Amino acid sequence: ETGVTQSPTHLIKTRGQQVTLRCSSQSGHNTVSWYQQALGQGPQFIFQYYREEENGRGNFPPRFSGLQFPNYSSELNVNALELDDSALYLCASSFLAGGSTDTQYFGPGTRLTVL
Amino acid sequence: AQSVAQPEDQVKVAEGNPLTVKCTYSVSGNPYLFWYVQYPNRGLQFLLKYITGDNLVKGSYGFEAEFNKSQTSFHLKKPSALVSDSALYFCAVRDRWNDYKLSFGAGTTVTVRA
């Protein structure tokens, strides 16, 4: 069984740039959630994707967007980067059936630094 | 709205002693509760969950947690801590009627000294 993988591991960008982070879900999972973990804080929910559509969203502006592909992998895109976007971005996959999602399993994260 | 509070930023215990990490939650409906552990520069690793049924939940690596509905708590416990248990622990809650979103506490750093 393959776990959740994320790429790249680290990324350095400058303010105003755009970034794309990638996630491959665990085998057998059909749902991907993205979280932002700022230094010294708990993860904050960004959004979740199921069947290639956004299934729920946290308090993040529209410049945070995502995609889910037919193989259940996902991308997180952030436009117009700000210094406060510097964080560890975590992807989690889970299986949704009967209207309820199972446990979310997390990848190792992508560390984004915005200068 | 749903939220989690972890009242202790740090917990320090000696190896072999019992370990407790506290968590209280707030949710409008019935909760799903989770504990995750994070090692330096790593993602979150699932430890255990409470969905329904027995209030005492057993998980990975000898950890267990007790659900207390009246006190809205879900404390993580380990009878005998190991140095390798030193890590950052997160409690999380999900509302059964708001199924997609996990809300996390700020985390508790556990240090187990030899």
Side-chain angles (χ1 to χ4, degrees):
Chain A
E1 182 179 277
T2 306
V4 180
T5 60
Q6 293 185 243
S7 62
T9 305
H10 296 89
L11 205 52
I12 299 175
K13 293 286 188 179
T14 56
R15 272 186 306 174
Q17 285 189 312
Q18 178 266 343
V19 69
T20 297
L21 310 182
R22 294 177 175 82
C23 171
S24 292
S25 60
Q26 184 169 312
S27 176
H29 287 180
N30 59 10
T31 303
V32 174
S33 304
W34 286 92
Y35 293 81
Q36 181 196 66
Q37 185 180 13
L39 200 60
Q41 297 182 23
Q44 298 291 317
F45 176 75
I46 303 175
F47 43 54
Q48 183 181 85
Y49 276 81
Y50 170 66
R51 290 186 174 177
E52 303 177 45
E53 292 189 358
E54 190 177 287
N55 190 42
R57 190 178 184 92
N59 294 325
F60 281 81
R63 58 189 186 84
F64 286 78
S65 63
L67 287 171
Q68 186 183 31
F69 301 100
N71 66 354
Y72 308 120
S73 65
S74 177
E75 286 182 355
L76 165 65
N77 298 291
V78 187
N79 293 323
L81 283 167
E82 301 177 359
L83 296 179
D84 285 348
D85 295 334
S86 295
L88 180 68
Y89 287 85
L90 296 165
C91 167
S93 74
S94 54
F95 181 71
L96 190 156
S100 180
T101 51
D102 201 347
T103 302
Q104 294 184 19
Y105 292 90
F106 286 79
T110 294
R111 173 73 62 186
L112 173 64
T113 302
V114 182
L115 302 176
Chain B
Q2 57 196 49
S3 64
V4 168
Q6 294 182 240
E8 300 160 317
D9 292 336
Q10 290 195 41
V11 169
K12 296 183 179 181
V13 298
E15 189 173 35
N17 281 3
L19 170 63
T20 298
V21 185
K22 296 180 180 178
C23 170
T24 58
Y25 67 90
S26 173
V27 70
S28 56
N30 290 321
Y32 291 165
L33 293 156
F34 302 82
W35 276 101
Y36 289 87
V37 60
Q38 186 174 37
Y39 296 97
N41 301 313
R42 300 285 295 276
L44 302 182
Q45 184 174 334
F46 170 71
L47 281 179
L48 51 79
K49 66 181 177 184
Y50 171 81
I51 301 298
T52 188
D54 194 346
N55 289 343
L56 183 64
V57 178
K58 294 188 182 295
S60 306
Y61 313 115
F63 284 95
E64 58 189 29
E66 186 166 11
F67 171 64
N68 188 316
K69 187 173 184 178
S70 62
Q71 297 185 5
T72 61
S73 66
F74 189 56
H75 301 329
L76 180 70
K77 300 180 181 182
K78 187 171 184 179
S80 178
L82 301 172
V83 172
S84 57
D85 293 329
S86 298
L88 182 57
Y89 290 79
F90 289 100
C91 181
V93 68
R94 201 174 81 207
D95 186 332
R96 293 187 187 190
W97 305 112
N98 187 13
D99 196 56
Y100 51 84
K101 174 184 174 181
L102 270 178
S103 295
F104 286 84
T108 299
T109 300
V110 169
T111 302
V112 182
R113 58 186 184 274

